[in-house]
Amino acid sequence: MPGKQEILAEFAGRRPKEWGLHIPGVVNNSPSKHVALTFDACGGPGGTACDHALLKTLRRLNVPATLFINSRWLHANPSLAAELAADPLFELANHGTAHLPLSVSGKSAYGIAGTANAAAAYDELMGNQALLQELSGAAPKFFRPGTAFYDDVAVEMTRRLGMLPVNFTVNGDGGATYPAATVAAEVARAAAGDIVISHFNRPAAGTAEGYARALPGMLGRGVTFARLRDALTA
């Protein structure tokens, strides 16, 4: 794996041309017959809780998922993070160190300034990667930045550092703002190859109830689910 100085020699000074959620190089869906459920844990003020009801539903129905964890949430929940890392139903993925949009020029999303330069982008990627690797014993394969916004140079850097930059085709809970009925409707429309984004750090949101409504019907229709590593290699 290239070190920081090697990455800076390769990427410093490059000017991005693309900015957004679904730019070239970002994985938004899979070629598989499965739906990939992904859940972010963002940490920070008001965001370090855990939606245990949601996790209980996933476990009861034996529905696998990929959990994108930010270092702030990890520091606030070390024992729980270790429990999730040991659960074969889930896989852990990298949601950044400070939960920032991933940029090499400081570009903002939703009023949040992105990483200011290539060095800051490297730190956002690799600071949390080291924590998650220590926790689980393996380097996470997938990355999603805070706000899910990237520029094209940062996308290339992510890949150079051994991670696939991932976003989504279905927004399941609108950043943990949707009521349960909307969550249920949005999640229920997911089909083969879709990647769904939701959150598991906001237990007061409608996410858990929405999934509890949607998943039994989906399973009854024959929808199958997979972790990203399984969906993307199927």
Side-chain angles (χ1 to χ4, degrees):
M1 192 63 61
K4 185 172 185 178
Q5 292 310 310
E6 185 177 350
I7 288 294
L8 294 185
E10 184 174 344
F11 289 94
R14 290 183 52 183
R15 295 184 178 181
K17 299 177 181 178
E18 302 267 1
W19 175 248
L21 298 171
H22 306 300
I23 65 174
V26 175
V27 176
N28 297 301
N29 54 18
S30 83
S32 81
K33 63 182 179 181
H34 308 295
V35 172
L37 300 180
T38 70
F39 296 92
D40 293 357
C42 308
T48 56
C50 178
D51 195 337
H52 290 285
L54 172 65
L55 297 179
K56 183 177 180 180
T57 294
L58 296 174
R59 285 166 165 156
R60 176 173 58 83
L61 297 174
N62 198 36
V63 172
T66 300
L67 308 178
F68 282 86
I69 293 178
N70 181 263
S71 68
R72 303 178 304 175
W73 192 91
L74 177 57
H75 286 308
N77 300 277
S79 297
L80 178 55
E83 174 195 319
L84 295 172
D87 189 332
L89 194 64
F90 305 128
E91 68 177 339
L92 303 190
N94 187 341
H95 195 36
T97 304
H99 198 257
L100 303 177
L102 199 68
S103 168
V104 296
S105 61
K107 198 167 179 68
S108 298
Y110 307 115
I112 301 172
T115 47
N117 49 42
Y122 178 93
D123 292 342
E124 181 69 11
L125 287 159
M126 297 307 290
N128 194 44
Q129 186 78 341
L131 294 173
L132 289 168
Q133 183 167 357
E134 181 180 359
L135 176 70
S136 65
K141 298 179 180 296
F142 308 108
F143 178 83
R144 178 185 288 141
T147 75
F149 271 73
Y150 309 77
D151 68 39
D152 55 305
V153 178
V155 165
E156 188 177 341
M157 184 188 297
T158 303
R159 288 177 171 268
R160 183 78 170 85
L161 290 167
M163 290 170 275
L164 282 180
V166 173
N167 268 335
F168 54 91
T169 48
V170 176
N171 190 336
D173 69 356
T177 65
Y178 292 164
T182 305
V183 173
E186 290 301 303
V187 173
R189 69 183 181 86
D194 278 328
I195 297 174
V196 184
I197 184 175
S198 298
H199 294 75
F200 77 100
N201 65 315
R202 301 276 184 177
T207 306
E209 183 180 345
Y211 271 85
R213 295 183 191 181
L215 290 177
M218 296 174 75
L219 291 166
R221 297 196 308 272
V223 176
T224 57
F225 299 90
R227 300 167 299 181
L228 279 175
R229 70 184 182 196
D230 301 315
L232 292 173
T233 58

